[in-house]
Amino acid sequence: GEKSKSPEIKPRRTDIVVSGKLFCGVERKVTMPFDGIVTSLSVQPGQAVKKGQVLVRFRLKPEAALALHRRVSSFRIRDLEMRLAELKKKLLELEDQEKETKELMRHNMAPAKSLEQIQREMELLSKERDDVRERLPLERALAEEDRAVVGKLLGYPVRHGQVPSKGVLMAPIKGHVIWVNPALRDGAEFKAHASLMRIGVMDPILIRARVHEIEAVQLKVGDEAEFTTEAIPGKRYKATVTRISWASLTPQLERPSYYMVELSISNPDFVLREGLRGMVTFRKKNQ
């Protein structure tokens, strides 16, 4: 008789459920550029800001203001300019000496060595003059660039030898204030490079989840998922896979591999916040 065929068993693909955490897609730190004292704080956590909006005003501490004044005063350029003037004057004097020595030599009143010594000195000074001439434009350009950098950090224009005693910190991007240094308030002192706040883009907001290797290979960019969080009960958010890492988060041989999967969620009402934890569910249909 005919052999009975075994029914084909189709693999059942069940839902993939993993825990995830919300992060801002783009985030920028706002730091104190120099040692300073806060004079006013214009924003609070959660506030929406536009790029270039003033966040903090501060005044420089006296020692920081003095250091900046020295930095932008271009003492080096003045030294080079003075040295160039000295070299030009000295070369003119040597040119006169050269003419006189040549005239004396014609009457056998000066040895040839005298002329050779003058010409060697002229050659050395000419090389130094040419070197200073080449360095001056570069030093001027660097000084101008440095003043522009200091001016950008302070939020006020900086001219030669003139440094504002105050500064402003502005929002580097459009977004929301997601974190403010707890010590940030009027009158607070901060060292240079201290973090004062973070500005983040909240819409769309990202989820990052660790996914086991067996499940990670089933996912692809563009797959849809749902995100739920106990912080907002009863609400389901549609998420889309935007990135799947190809490098394992657990490279040790004896441990299973997990991969970072990133998803994007539309957040127009800004209810979702950075740091919220929840569950990500990838719906898989039976094949």
Side-chain angles (χ1 to χ4, degrees):
E2 288 186 19
K3 290 185 178 179
S4 58
K5 290 185 178 180
S6 299
E8 184 181 351
I9 300 175
K10 295 183 179 180
R12 187 172 186 273
R13 302 178 70 189
T14 57
D15 293 346
I16 297 172
V17 182
V18 295
S19 62
K21 195 171 186 179
L22 296 180
F23 292 87
C24 289
V26 178
E27 184 179 309
R28 294 281 295 277
K29 290 182 179 180
V30 177
T31 59
M32 181 68 86
F34 310 105
D35 292 357
I37 300 170
V38 174
T39 55
S40 70
L41 174 62
S42 305
V43 294
Q44 295 297 328
Q47 184 173 332
V49 295
K50 296 179 180 179
K51 183 178 180 180
Q53 180 176 334
V54 173
L55 307 174
V56 178
R57 296 183 183 276
F58 66 94
R59 71 174 184 272
L60 292 170
K61 296 189 71 175
E63 53 271 28
L66 180 60
L68 279 178
H69 177 76
R70 289 173 178 164
R71 175 174 167 180
V72 304
S73 292
S74 307
F75 294 116
R76 183 171 180 79
I77 292 174
R78 285 208 294 271
D79 290 344
L80 287 173
E81 288 172 341
M82 290 175 62
R83 181 56 181 162
L84 182 60
E86 290 173 2
L87 289 169
K88 288 179 178 179
K89 182 180 178 182
K90 184 65 175 175
L91 280 167
L92 288 174
E93 292 173 355
L94 287 173
E95 285 175 5
D96 290 340
Q97 290 181 28
E98 183 185 34
K99 289 177 183 178
E100 291 176 6
T101 303
K102 285 180 178 179
E103 186 64 27
L104 291 171
M105 285 177 63
R106 279 171 39 186
H107 297 87
N108 296 319
M109 297 176 65
K113 288 184 178 179
S114 298
L115 181 61
E116 291 173 3
Q117 184 177 348
I118 292 172
Q119 290 175 338
R120 279 198 301 269
E121 190 173 352
M122 288 177 67
E123 184 180 354
L124 290 172
L125 292 179
S126 294
K127 286 181 179 179
E128 185 179 354
R129 177 200 60 194
D130 294 342
D131 179 57
V132 173
R133 279 178 174 171
E134 288 180 5
R135 288 164 56 195
L136 259 174
L138 178 60
E139 291 289 343
R140 290 188 181 117
L142 289 173
E144 188 65 31
E145 186 177 325
D146 194 35
R147 284 194 288 269
V149 169
V150 172
K152 186 175 181 180
L153 291 172
L154 285 174
Y156 291 100
V158 174
R159 296 178 178 84
H160 172 69
Q162 298 178 354
V163 179
S165 60
K166 58 185 180 179
V168 295
L169 300 179
M170 295 176 282
I173 57 173
K174 178 183 178 182
H176 283 72
V177 180
I178 60 173
W179 177 81
V180 172
N181 189 316
L184 181 56
R185 52 180 50 84
D186 293 0
E189 291 187 13
F190 289 95
K191 291 286 187 182
H193 312 303
S195 292
L196 300 189
M197 61 180 67
R198 298 202 309 269
I199 309 298
V201 174
M202 302 291 292
D203 183 29
I205 197 165
L206 302 181
I207 315 168
R208 294 195 183 111
R210 284 163 41 103
V211 181
H212 190 276
E213 56 189 90
I214 295 175
E215 298 168 328
V217 297
Q218 301 177 42
L219 302 177
K220 65 181 185 300
V221 172
D223 281 353
E224 294 187 353
E226 288 181 349
F227 175 75
T228 57
T229 173
E230 291 183 0
I232 309 173
K235 183 74 174 177
R236 295 178 180 273
Y237 293 91
K238 179 182 175 181
T240 304
V241 176
T242 55
R243 184 179 295 172
I244 302 173
S245 72
W246 278 46
S248 171
L249 297 172
T250 49
Q252 297 86 352
L253 290 174
E254 68 278 5
R255 297 180 59 189
S257 291
Y258 286 84
Y259 293 84
M260 181 68 72
V261 176
E262 187 177 278
L263 305 95
S264 176
I265 300 180
S266 179
N267 187 33
D269 52 3
F270 306 112
V271 172
L272 295 173
R273 299 184 183 183
E274 184 178 67
L276 290 181
R277 297 185 62 86
M279 303 305 296
V280 182
T281 303
F282 299 90
R283 301 292 183 191
K284 296 296 178 183
K285 297 178 181 179
N286 291 342
Q287 291 183 331

